[in-house]
Amino acid sequence: IAGITQAPTSQILAAGRRMTLRCTQDMRHNAMYWYRQDLGLGLRLIHYSNTAGTTGKGEVPDGYSVSRANTDDFPLTLASAVPSQTSVYFCASSVGSGGIYEQYFGPGTRLTVT
Amino acid sequence: GENVEQHPSTLSVQEGDSAVIKCTYSDSASNYFPWYKQELGKGPQLIIDIRSNVGEKKDQRIAVTLNKTAKHFSLHITETQPEDSAVYFCAARSMEYGNKLVFGAGTILRVKS
């Protein structure tokens, strides 16, 4: 069992370009999340999905969009990247929503926007 | 909305000593407080959690205490070992964002052998 996989591992992206970060889980978890991790700011929630077909905005959603077409995949798209989106991005999943379930994190994607 | 503050930002201890990391939260309605450990190059992993109906929870060398009146909770690691070196994040369940977790800024723990 792989758990959660993320791709790419790292990426250097020119400002203004479009980029999709991929996330796939094989645990059949209902809820999925995208966080960004920045030094001194911890993990901040970008978007979440409580179940396939639904999404919601987190603390820092501007400049990002997500979709949840099925249970396993939860891609994060940057429509037009800006340098402030340079960060490490983590995808996570949990068996249920509501914030009281253990979240399983992927290995992260390190994104640099130049 | 919920605000979680975590201290210290870095902590160095000698192997075998205890380590304590403290967090405060702002939303009195928060009722779930997990701690995550992140090793270098990996995603965070849950190590212990506590709900608001208990004051303390232990799991071998780690324990978490919760003071709901003061709105703070702490992680205690006893008999620290080199493999405890990592970044530790506290979190609180927020009524915002669909009852999701709000994380603290993290503590870098270094255990010196």
Side-chain angles (χ1 to χ4, degrees), chain B residues 32-99:
Chain B
Y32 175 68
F33 308 92
W35 286 88
Y36 281 78
K37 175 184 180 182
Q38 184 180 26
E39 297 177 343
L40 193 63
K42 298 183 178 180
Q45 186 173 10
L46 179 71
I47 55 171
I48 195 168
D49 57 12
I50 191 167
R51 305 198 183 204
S52 60
N53 58 345
V54 298
E56 183 176 7
K57 184 177 179 181
K58 290 183 179 180
D59 184 3
Q60 298 183 348
R61 295 187 298 107
I62 60 174
V64 57
T65 59
L66 172 64
N67 183 327
K68 284 217 70 177
T69 302
K71 289 189 285 188
H72 66 71
F73 56 111
S74 300
L75 177 71
H76 304 254
I77 306 174
T78 59
E79 301 174 19
T80 54
Q81 301 169 2
E83 53 264 38
D84 294 328
S85 296
V87 181
Y88 291 82
F89 293 98
C90 64
R93 180 180 179 230
S94 169
M95 299 305 110
E96 289 183 287
Y97 321 124
N99 293 325

Short mmCIF file of all heavy atoms in Angstrom, two decimals, chain B residues 32-99:
data_model
loop_
_atom_site.label_atom_id
_atom_site.label_comp_id
_atom_site.label_asym_id
_atom_site.label_seq_id
_atom_site.Cartn_x
_atom_site.Cartn_y
_atom_site.Cartn_z
N TYR B 32 -10.45 19.41 19.89
CA TYR B 32 -9.57 18.31 19.47
C TYR B 32 -8.20 18.89 19.17
O TYR B 32 -8.09 19.87 18.42
CB TYR B 32 -10.16 17.61 18.24
CG TYR B 32 -9.26 16.55 17.66
CD1 TYR B 32 -9.00 15.37 18.35
CD2 TYR B 32 -8.67 16.72 16.41
CE1 TYR B 32 -8.18 14.40 17.82
CE2 TYR B 32 -7.84 15.75 15.87
CZ TYR B 32 -7.61 14.60 16.57
OH TYR B 32 -6.80 13.64 16.04
N PHE B 33 -7.15 18.26 19.75
CA PHE B 33 -5.82 18.84 19.69
C PHE B 33 -4.79 17.75 19.38
O PHE B 33 -4.33 17.04 20.28
CB PHE B 33 -5.49 19.52 21.03
CG PHE B 33 -6.55 20.49 21.46
CD1 PHE B 33 -7.59 20.06 22.28
CD2 PHE B 33 -6.53 21.80 21.02
CE1 PHE B 33 -8.60 20.95 22.68
CE2 PHE B 33 -7.53 22.69 21.41
CZ PHE B 33 -8.56 22.26 22.23
N PRO B 34 -4.40 17.61 18.14
CA PRO B 34 -3.40 16.60 17.78
C PRO B 34 -1.99 17.19 17.72
O PRO B 34 -1.80 18.40 17.58
CB PRO B 34 -3.84 16.16 16.38
CG PRO B 34 -4.45 17.40 15.80
CD PRO B 34 -5.05 18.17 16.96
N TRP B 35 -1.00 16.31 17.82
CA TRP B 35 0.40 16.67 17.62
C TRP B 35 0.95 15.81 16.47
O TRP B 35 0.75 14.60 16.44
CB TRP B 35 1.22 16.41 18.88
CG TRP B 35 0.97 17.40 19.96
CD1 TRP B 35 0.01 17.34 20.93
CD2 TRP B 35 1.70 18.60 20.20
NE1 TRP B 35 0.09 18.44 21.76
CE2 TRP B 35 1.13 19.23 21.34
CE3 TRP B 35 2.80 19.22 19.59
CZ2 TRP B 35 1.59 20.43 21.85
CZ3 TRP B 35 3.27 20.41 20.09
CH2 TRP B 35 2.67 21.00 21.21
N TYR B 36 1.68 16.49 15.56
CA TYR B 36 2.28 15.81 14.42
C TYR B 36 3.79 15.97 14.47
O TYR B 36 4.30 17.02 14.86
CB TYR B 36 1.74 16.38 13.10
CG TYR B 36 0.36 15.87 12.73
CD1 TYR B 36 -0.78 16.38 13.35
CD2 TYR B 36 0.21 14.87 11.79
CE1 TYR B 36 -2.04 15.90 13.02
CE2 TYR B 36 -1.05 14.38 11.44
CZ TYR B 36 -2.17 14.91 12.07
OH TYR B 36 -3.42 14.43 11.74
N LYS B 37 4.48 14.92 14.03
CA LYS B 37 5.96 14.93 13.96
C LYS B 37 6.36 14.86 12.50
O LYS B 37 5.83 14.03 11.74
CB LYS B 37 6.51 13.71 14.71
CG LYS B 37 8.03 13.53 14.62
CD LYS B 37 8.44 12.25 15.33
CE LYS B 37 9.94 12.02 15.25
NZ LYS B 37 10.34 10.73 15.90
N GLN B 38 7.28 15.73 12.10
CA GLN B 38 7.75 15.74 10.72
C GLN B 38 9.26 15.51 10.68
O GLN B 38 10.03 16.34 11.15
CB GLN B 38 7.40 17.06 10.02
CG GLN B 38 7.78 17.08 8.54
CD GLN B 38 7.44 18.38 7.87
OE1 GLN B 38 7.37 19.43 8.51
NE2 GLN B 38 7.22 18.34 6.56
N GLU B 39 9.65 14.40 10.11
CA GLU B 39 11.07 14.12 9.93
C GLU B 39 11.53 14.72 8.61
O GLU B 39 10.73 15.00 7.72
CB GLU B 39 11.31 12.61 9.97
CG GLU B 39 10.94 12.01 11.33
CD GLU B 39 11.11 10.51 11.39
OE1 GLU B 39 11.19 9.87 10.32
OE2 GLU B 39 11.16 9.96 12.51
N LEU B 40 12.81 14.91 8.50
CA LEU B 40 13.40 15.61 7.36
C LEU B 40 13.01 14.95 6.05
O LEU B 40 13.16 13.73 5.88
CB LEU B 40 14.92 15.64 7.50
CG LEU B 40 15.66 16.59 6.57
CD1 LEU B 40 15.26 18.03 6.85
CD2 LEU B 40 17.16 16.42 6.73
N GLY B 41 12.43 15.75 5.14
CA GLY B 41 12.08 15.24 3.83
C GLY B 41 10.80 14.44 3.76
O GLY B 41 10.49 13.85 2.72
N LYS B 42 10.05 14.41 4.85
CA LYS B 42 8.82 13.62 4.88
C LYS B 42 7.63 14.49 5.25
O LYS B 42 7.78 15.63 5.69
CB LYS B 42 8.94 12.48 5.88
CG LYS B 42 10.04 11.48 5.54
CD LYS B 42 10.03 10.34 6.55
CE LYS B 42 11.09 9.30 6.20
NZ LYS B 42 11.10 8.18 7.18
N GLY B 43 6.45 13.95 5.07
CA GLY B 43 5.24 14.63 5.51
C GLY B 43 5.02 14.41 7.00
O GLY B 43 5.56 13.48 7.59
N PRO B 44 4.24 15.27 7.65
CA PRO B 44 3.95 15.11 9.07
C PRO B 44 3.20 13.81 9.36
O PRO B 44 2.48 13.29 8.51
CB PRO B 44 3.07 16.32 9.38
CG PRO B 44 3.38 17.32 8.32
CD PRO B 44 3.66 16.50 7.09
N GLN B 45 3.38 13.32 10.58
CA GLN B 45 2.73 12.08 11.00
C GLN B 45 2.18 12.27 12.40
O GLN B 45 2.88 12.78 13.29
CB GLN B 45 3.74 10.92 10.97
CG GLN B 45 3.15 9.57 11.25
CD GLN B 45 4.14 8.44 11.05
OE1 GLN B 45 5.34 8.68 10.88
NE2 GLN B 45 3.67 7.22 11.04
N LEU B 46 0.96 11.83 12.63
CA LEU B 46 0.32 11.97 13.93
C LEU B 46 1.05 11.13 14.97
O LEU B 46 1.34 9.95 14.74
CB LEU B 46 -1.13 11.52 13.85
CG LEU B 46 -1.93 11.58 15.15
CD1 LEU B 46 -2.20 13.03 15.54
CD2 LEU B 46 -3.24 10.81 15.03
N ILE B 47 1.36 11.74 16.13
CA ILE B 47 2.00 10.98 17.21
C ILE B 47 1.10 10.84 18.43
O ILE B 47 1.17 9.84 19.15
CB ILE B 47 3.36 11.58 17.61
CG1 ILE B 47 3.22 13.06 18.00
CG2 ILE B 47 4.38 11.39 16.51
CD1 ILE B 47 4.49 13.64 18.62
N ILE B 48 0.26 11.81 18.70
CA ILE B 48 -0.65 11.73 19.83
C ILE B 48 -1.71 12.80 19.66
O ILE B 48 -1.46 13.82 19.00
CB ILE B 48 0.11 11.87 21.17
CG1 ILE B 48 -0.77 11.41 22.35
CG2 ILE B 48 0.61 13.29 21.37
CD1 ILE B 48 0.03 11.25 23.65
N ASP B 49 -2.87 12.58 20.25
CA ASP B 49 -3.92 13.60 20.20
C ASP B 49 -4.70 13.57 21.51
O ASP B 49 -4.62 12.61 22.28
CB ASP B 49 -4.84 13.42 19.00
CG ASP B 49 -5.51 12.04 18.96
OD1 ASP B 49 -5.45 11.29 19.96
OD2 ASP B 49 -6.08 11.70 17.91
N ILE B 50 -5.45 14.64 21.76
CA ILE B 50 -6.25 14.71 22.97
C ILE B 50 -7.55 15.44 22.66
O ILE B 50 -7.57 16.35 21.84
CB ILE B 50 -5.47 15.39 24.13
CG1 ILE B 50 -6.21 15.22 25.45
CG2 ILE B 50 -5.21 16.86 23.81
CD1 ILE B 50 -5.35 15.59 26.66
N ARG B 51 -8.60 15.00 23.29
CA ARG B 51 -9.91 15.66 23.12
C ARG B 51 -10.22 16.45 24.37
O ARG B 51 -9.64 16.22 25.45
CB ARG B 51 -10.97 14.62 22.80
CG ARG B 51 -10.58 13.80 21.61
CD ARG B 51 -11.68 13.05 20.96
NE ARG B 51 -11.13 12.25 19.85
CZ ARG B 51 -11.84 11.85 18.83
NH1 ARG B 51 -13.13 12.15 18.74
NH2 ARG B 51 -11.29 11.14 17.86
N SER B 52 -11.15 17.36 24.26
CA SER B 52 -11.36 18.35 25.32
C SER B 52 -11.99 17.76 26.58
O SER B 52 -12.06 18.45 27.59
CB SER B 52 -12.22 19.49 24.80
OG SER B 52 -13.48 19.00 24.37
N ASN B 53 -12.44 16.52 26.54
CA ASN B 53 -13.04 15.93 27.72
C ASN B 53 -12.03 15.22 28.63
O ASN B 53 -12.41 14.60 29.63
CB ASN B 53 -14.17 14.97 27.32
CG ASN B 53 -13.69 13.86 26.41
OD1 ASN B 53 -12.61 13.93 25.84
ND2 ASN B 53 -14.51 12.83 26.27
N VAL B 54 -10.73 15.29 28.27
CA VAL B 54 -9.69 14.72 29.11
C VAL B 54 -8.60 15.76 29.32
O VAL B 54 -8.45 16.68 28.52
CB VAL B 54 -9.07 13.44 28.51
CG1 VAL B 54 -10.12 12.36 28.38
CG2 VAL B 54 -8.45 13.73 27.17
N GLY B 55 -7.85 15.61 30.44
CA GLY B 55 -6.82 16.58 30.74
C GLY B 55 -5.42 16.12 30.38
O GLY B 55 -4.52 16.95 30.22
N GLU B 56 -5.24 14.79 30.26
CA GLU B 56 -3.91 14.27 29.98
C GLU B 56 -4.03 12.94 29.27
O GLU B 56 -4.94 12.16 29.51
CB GLU B 56 -3.11 14.10 31.27
CG GLU B 56 -1.68 13.64 31.05
CD GLU B 56 -0.88 13.56 32.35
OE1 GLU B 56 -1.49 13.75 33.42
OE2 GLU B 56 0.33 13.34 32.29
N LYS B 57 -3.06 12.68 28.39
CA LYS B 57 -3.01 11.41 27.68
C LYS B 57 -1.56 11.02 27.49
O LYS B 57 -0.74 11.87 27.16
CB LYS B 57 -3.71 11.52 26.32
CG LYS B 57 -3.80 10.24 25.53
CD LYS B 57 -4.59 10.47 24.25
CE LYS B 57 -4.68 9.21 23.40
NZ LYS B 57 -5.44 9.48 22.14
N LYS B 58 -1.26 9.74 27.75
CA LYS B 58 0.12 9.27 27.63
C LYS B 58 0.22 8.12 26.64
O LYS B 58 -0.70 7.30 26.52
CB LYS B 58 0.64 8.81 28.99
CG LYS B 58 0.86 9.90 30.00
CD LYS B 58 1.45 9.34 31.30
CE LYS B 58 1.71 10.42 32.31
NZ LYS B 58 2.27 9.89 33.58
N ASP B 59 1.37 8.04 25.99
CA ASP B 59 1.68 6.93 25.11
C ASP B 59 3.18 6.70 25.18
O ASP B 59 3.95 7.38 24.52
CB ASP B 59 1.24 7.22 23.66
CG ASP B 59 1.48 6.03 22.74
OD1 ASP B 59 1.92 4.97 23.21
OD2 ASP B 59 1.20 6.17 21.53
N GLN B 60 3.59 5.79 26.02
CA GLN B 60 5.00 5.46 26.25
C GLN B 60 5.75 6.72 26.69
O GLN B 60 5.47 7.25 27.76
CB GLN B 60 5.59 4.83 24.99
CG GLN B 60 4.90 3.52 24.61
CD GLN B 60 5.50 2.83 23.41
OE1 GLN B 60 6.32 3.39 22.68
NE2 GLN B 60 5.11 1.59 23.18
N ARG B 61 6.69 7.22 25.90
CA ARG B 61 7.50 8.36 26.34
C ARG B 61 6.88 9.71 26.05
O ARG B 61 7.45 10.75 26.38
CB ARG B 61 8.88 8.28 25.68
CG ARG B 61 9.72 7.10 26.09
CD ARG B 61 11.13 7.19 25.51
NE ARG B 61 11.14 7.18 24.06
CZ ARG B 61 11.40 8.25 23.29
NH1 ARG B 61 11.66 9.42 23.84
NH2 ARG B 61 11.40 8.14 21.97
N ILE B 62 5.76 9.74 25.39
CA ILE B 62 5.15 11.02 25.06
C ILE B 62 3.83 11.19 25.81
O ILE B 62 3.13 10.20 26.08
CB ILE B 62 4.95 11.22 23.55
CG1 ILE B 62 4.01 10.13 22.99
CG2 ILE B 62 6.27 11.20 22.82
CD1 ILE B 62 3.67 10.36 21.52
N ALA B 63 3.52 12.43 26.14
CA ALA B 63 2.27 12.74 26.82
C ALA B 63 1.81 14.11 26.37
O ALA B 63 2.62 14.96 25.94
CB ALA B 63 2.46 12.73 28.33
N VAL B 64 0.52 14.33 26.41
CA VAL B 64 -0.04 15.63 26.11
C VAL B 64 -0.96 16.03 27.25
O VAL B 64 -1.69 15.19 27.79
CB VAL B 64 -0.80 15.63 24.76
CG1 VAL B 64 -1.90 14.58 24.74
CG2 VAL B 64 -1.35 16.99 24.43
N THR B 65 -0.87 17.29 27.66
CA THR B 65 -1.74 17.82 28.69
C THR B 65 -2.55 18.96 28.11
O THR B 65 -2.09 19.68 27.22
CB THR B 65 -0.93 18.34 29.89
OG1 THR B 65 -0.02 19.35 29.45
CG2 THR B 65 -0.15 17.21 30.55
N LEU B 66 -3.75 19.12 28.60
CA LEU B 66 -4.67 20.15 28.09
C LEU B 66 -5.26 20.92 29.25
O LEU B 66 -5.77 20.33 30.21
CB LEU B 66 -5.79 19.51 27.28
CG LEU B 66 -6.95 20.41 26.84
CD1 LEU B 66 -6.47 21.49 25.88
CD2 LEU B 66 -8.07 19.58 26.23
N ASN B 67 -5.20 22.24 29.16
CA ASN B 67 -5.84 23.12 30.14
C ASN B 67 -6.86 23.95 29.37
O ASN B 67 -6.51 24.95 28.74
CB ASN B 67 -4.80 24.01 30.83
CG ASN B 67 -5.41 24.89 31.90
OD1 ASN B 67 -6.56 25.33 31.79
ND2 ASN B 67 -4.66 25.16 32.94
N LYS B 68 -8.12 23.54 29.41
CA LYS B 68 -9.14 24.24 28.63
C LYS B 68 -9.43 25.63 29.16
O LYS B 68 -9.77 26.54 28.40
CB LYS B 68 -10.43 23.41 28.60
CG LYS B 68 -10.39 22.22 27.69
CD LYS B 68 -11.73 22.02 27.01
CE LYS B 68 -12.01 23.12 26.00
NZ LYS B 68 -13.27 22.92 25.27
N THR B 69 -9.31 25.82 30.46
CA THR B 69 -9.58 27.13 31.03
C THR B 69 -8.59 28.16 30.50
O THR B 69 -8.95 29.27 30.13
CB THR B 69 -9.52 27.07 32.56
OG1 THR B 69 -10.48 26.11 33.02
CG2 THR B 69 -9.83 28.43 33.17
N ALA B 70 -7.33 27.76 30.50
CA ALA B 70 -6.27 28.66 30.03
C ALA B 70 -6.08 28.59 28.53
O ALA B 70 -5.32 29.38 27.96
CB ALA B 70 -4.96 28.32 30.74
N LYS B 71 -6.72 27.65 27.87
CA LYS B 71 -6.61 27.45 26.43
C LYS B 71 -5.18 27.19 26.00
O LYS B 71 -4.64 27.86 25.10
CB LYS B 71 -7.25 28.62 25.66
CG LYS B 71 -8.77 28.63 25.78
CD LYS B 71 -9.44 29.64 24.85
CE LYS B 71 -9.27 31.02 25.37
NZ LYS B 71 -10.05 32.02 24.60
N HIS B 72 -4.54 26.25 26.70
CA HIS B 72 -3.23 25.82 26.24
C HIS B 72 -3.05 24.33 26.44
O HIS B 72 -3.71 23.71 27.27
CB HIS B 72 -2.10 26.63 26.85
CG HIS B 72 -1.90 26.47 28.32
ND1 HIS B 72 -1.39 25.32 28.89
CD2 HIS B 72 -2.11 27.32 29.34
CE1 HIS B 72 -1.31 25.48 30.19
NE2 HIS B 72 -1.74 26.69 30.49
N PHE B 73 -2.19 23.75 25.59
CA PHE B 73 -1.89 22.34 25.67
C PHE B 73 -0.41 22.14 25.37
O PHE B 73 0.22 22.98 24.71
CB PHE B 73 -2.78 21.51 24.73
CG PHE B 73 -2.75 21.90 23.28
CD1 PHE B 73 -2.17 21.07 22.35
CD2 PHE B 73 -3.33 23.09 22.84
CE1 PHE B 73 -2.16 21.40 21.00
CE2 PHE B 73 -3.32 23.44 21.50
CZ PHE B 73 -2.74 22.59 20.58
N SER B 74 0.15 21.08 25.91
CA SER B 74 1.60 20.87 25.84
C SER B 74 1.93 19.43 25.47
O SER B 74 1.20 18.50 25.83
CB SER B 74 2.26 21.20 27.18
OG SER B 74 2.03 22.55 27.55
N LEU B 75 3.07 19.28 24.80
CA LEU B 75 3.62 17.97 24.46
C LEU B 75 4.83 17.74 25.34
O LEU B 75 5.71 18.61 25.43
CB LEU B 75 4.02 17.92 22.99
CG LEU B 75 4.68 16.62 22.52
CD1 LEU B 75 3.65 15.49 22.48
CD2 LEU B 75 5.33 16.79 21.15
N HIS B 76 4.89 16.58 25.98
CA HIS B 76 6.00 16.23 26.85
C HIS B 76 6.65 14.97 26.30
O HIS B 76 5.96 13.96 26.10
CB HIS B 76 5.51 15.97 28.28
CG HIS B 76 4.75 17.10 28.88
ND1 HIS B 76 5.26 17.93 29.85
CD2 HIS B 76 3.49 17.56 28.64
CE1 HIS B 76 4.35 18.83 30.20
NE2 HIS B 76 3.27 18.63 29.47
N ILE B 77 7.95 15.04 26.08
CA ILE B 77 8.71 13.86 25.65
C ILE B 77 9.75 13.57 26.73
O ILE B 77 10.58 14.44 27.04
CB ILE B 77 9.41 14.08 24.30
CG1 ILE B 77 8.40 14.53 23.23
CG2 ILE B 77 10.11 12.80 23.84
CD1 ILE B 77 9.05 14.91 21.90
N THR B 78 9.69 12.41 27.32
CA THR B 78 10.66 12.03 28.35
C THR B 78 11.73 11.13 27.75
O THR B 78 11.54 10.51 26.69
CB THR B 78 9.97 11.31 29.50
OG1 THR B 78 9.32 10.13 28.99
CG2 THR B 78 8.93 12.20 30.17
N GLU B 79 12.87 11.09 28.43
CA GLU B 79 13.98 10.22 28.01
C GLU B 79 14.25 10.35 26.51
O GLU B 79 14.25 9.37 25.77
CB GLU B 79 13.68 8.77 28.37
CG GLU B 79 13.45 8.54 29.86
CD GLU B 79 13.00 7.12 30.17
OE1 GLU B 79 13.21 6.22 29.33
OE2 GLU B 79 12.41 6.92 31.25
N THR B 80 14.49 11.58 26.09
CA THR B 80 14.64 11.84 24.66
C THR B 80 15.78 11.03 24.04
O THR B 80 16.81 10.76 24.68
CB THR B 80 14.87 13.33 24.39
OG1 THR B 80 15.98 13.78 25.18
CG2 THR B 80 13.63 14.14 24.71
N GLN B 81 15.57 10.68 22.77
CA GLN B 81 16.54 9.91 22.01
C GLN B 81 16.84 10.65 20.71
O GLN B 81 16.04 11.47 20.26
CB GLN B 81 15.96 8.52 21.72
CG GLN B 81 15.60 7.75 22.97
CD GLN B 81 14.78 6.49 22.70
OE1 GLN B 81 14.50 6.15 21.55
NE2 GLN B 81 14.41 5.80 23.78
N PRO B 82 17.98 10.38 20.09
CA PRO B 82 18.31 11.08 18.84
C PRO B 82 17.22 11.00 17.78
O PRO B 82 17.00 11.96 17.03
CB PRO B 82 19.60 10.37 18.40
CG PRO B 82 20.22 9.92 19.66
CD PRO B 82 19.08 9.51 20.55
N GLU B 83 16.51 9.89 17.73
CA GLU B 83 15.45 9.75 16.72
C GLU B 83 14.23 10.61 17.01
O GLU B 83 13.30 10.69 16.19
CB GLU B 83 15.03 8.27 16.58
CG GLU B 83 14.66 7.60 17.88
CD GLU B 83 15.82 6.84 18.48
OE1 GLU B 83 16.99 7.31 18.40
OE2 GLU B 83 15.56 5.75 19.06
N ASP B 84 14.20 11.26 18.17
CA ASP B 84 13.13 12.23 18.44
C ASP B 84 13.38 13.56 17.74
O ASP B 84 12.49 14.41 17.69
CB ASP B 84 13.00 12.48 19.95
CG ASP B 84 12.54 11.25 20.71
OD1 ASP B 84 11.77 10.44 20.14
OD2 ASP B 84 12.95 11.08 21.88
N SER B 85 14.58 13.76 17.23
CA SER B 85 14.90 14.99 16.52
C SER B 85 14.02 15.11 15.29
O SER B 85 14.00 14.22 14.42
CB SER B 85 16.38 15.01 16.11
OG SER B 85 17.22 15.03 17.24
N ALA B 86 13.28 16.21 15.22
CA ALA B 86 12.30 16.41 14.15
C ALA B 86 11.64 17.77 14.35
O ALA B 86 11.96 18.49 15.29
CB ALA B 86 11.24 15.31 14.15
N VAL B 87 10.69 18.09 13.48
CA VAL B 87 9.83 19.26 13.68
C VAL B 87 8.49 18.77 14.21
O VAL B 87 7.92 17.82 13.67
CB VAL B 87 9.62 20.05 12.37
CG1 VAL B 87 8.76 21.28 12.64
CG2 VAL B 87 10.96 20.46 11.78
N TYR B 88 8.01 19.41 15.25
CA TYR B 88 6.75 19.03 15.88
C TYR B 88 5.74 20.15 15.68
O TYR B 88 6.04 21.33 15.90
CB TYR B 88 6.95 18.76 17.36
CG TYR B 88 7.76 17.50 17.61
CD1 TYR B 88 9.16 17.54 17.54
CD2 TYR B 88 7.14 16.29 17.90
CE1 TYR B 88 9.91 16.39 17.75
CE2 TYR B 88 7.88 15.14 18.11
CZ TYR B 88 9.26 15.20 18.03
OH TYR B 88 10.00 14.06 18.22
N PHE B 89 4.54 19.76 15.27
CA PHE B 89 3.44 20.72 15.06
C PHE B 89 2.28 20.39 15.99
O PHE B 89 1.85 19.23 16.06
CB PHE B 89 2.93 20.66 13.63
CG PHE B 89 3.90 21.14 12.59
CD1 PHE B 89 4.67 20.24 11.87
CD2 PHE B 89 4.03 22.50 12.33
CE1 PHE B 89 5.56 20.68 10.91
CE2 PHE B 89 4.92 22.94 11.36
CZ PHE B 89 5.69 22.03 10.66
N CYS B 90 1.77 21.39 16.66
CA CYS B 90 0.51 21.23 17.36
C CYS B 90 -0.61 21.73 16.45
O CYS B 90 -0.35 22.45 15.47
CB CYS B 90 0.49 22.01 18.67
SG CYS B 90 0.63 23.80 18.49
N ALA B 91 -1.82 21.36 16.73
CA ALA B 91 -2.96 21.81 15.94
C ALA B 91 -4.20 21.82 16.81
O ALA B 91 -4.27 21.14 17.84
CB ALA B 91 -3.17 20.91 14.72
N ALA B 92 -5.17 22.60 16.40
CA ALA B 92 -6.47 22.66 17.07
C ALA B 92 -7.56 22.61 16.02
O ALA B 92 -7.43 23.20 14.95
CB ALA B 92 -6.58 23.94 17.90
N ARG B 93 -8.61 21.91 16.36
CA ARG B 93 -9.74 21.82 15.43
C ARG B 93 -10.49 23.14 15.47
O ARG B 93 -10.88 23.63 16.52
CB ARG B 93 -10.67 20.69 15.84
CG ARG B 93 -11.88 20.51 14.95
CD ARG B 93 -12.71 19.37 15.47
NE ARG B 93 -13.90 19.14 14.69
CZ ARG B 93 -15.12 19.02 15.19
NH1 ARG B 93 -15.31 19.11 16.50
NH2 ARG B 93 -16.16 18.80 14.40
N SER B 94 -10.67 23.71 14.26
CA SER B 94 -11.31 25.02 14.16
C SER B 94 -12.72 24.87 13.62
O SER B 94 -12.99 24.01 12.78
CB SER B 94 -10.50 25.91 13.22
OG SER B 94 -11.23 27.08 12.89
N MET B 95 -13.62 25.71 14.10
CA MET B 95 -14.98 25.68 13.58
C MET B 95 -15.04 26.28 12.18
O MET B 95 -16.01 26.12 11.45
CB MET B 95 -15.90 26.46 14.50
CG MET B 95 -15.98 25.90 15.92
SD MET B 95 -16.44 24.14 15.97
CE MET B 95 -14.89 23.38 16.50
N GLU B 96 -13.95 26.97 11.78
CA GLU B 96 -13.90 27.52 10.42
C GLU B 96 -13.48 26.44 9.44
O GLU B 96 -13.00 25.38 9.82
CB GLU B 96 -12.88 28.65 10.35
CG GLU B 96 -13.31 29.91 11.07
CD GLU B 96 -12.29 31.01 10.90
OE1 GLU B 96 -11.23 30.90 11.53
OE2 GLU B 96 -12.55 31.94 10.12
N TYR B 97 -13.60 26.74 8.18
CA TYR B 97 -13.11 25.87 7.11
C TYR B 97 -13.64 24.45 7.26
O TYR B 97 -12.89 23.47 7.12
CB TYR B 97 -11.58 25.87 7.03
CG TYR B 97 -10.94 27.21 7.26
CD1 TYR B 97 -10.00 27.39 8.25
CD2 TYR B 97 -11.31 28.31 6.48
CE1 TYR B 97 -9.42 28.62 8.47
CE2 TYR B 97 -10.73 29.56 6.70
CZ TYR B 97 -9.80 29.70 7.70
OH TYR B 97 -9.23 30.92 7.92
N GLY B 98 -14.91 24.33 7.57
CA GLY B 98 -15.47 22.99 7.67
C GLY B 98 -14.91 22.17 8.81
O GLY B 98 -14.73 20.97 8.67
N ASN B 99 -14.66 22.80 9.94
CA ASN B 99 -14.14 22.10 11.13
C ASN B 99 -12.79 21.44 10.86
O ASN B 99 -12.56 20.29 11.22
CB ASN B 99 -15.13 21.04 11.61
CG ASN B 99 -16.40 21.66 12.14
OD1 ASN B 99 -16.38 22.72 12.74
ND2 ASN B 99 -17.51 21.01 11.90
#
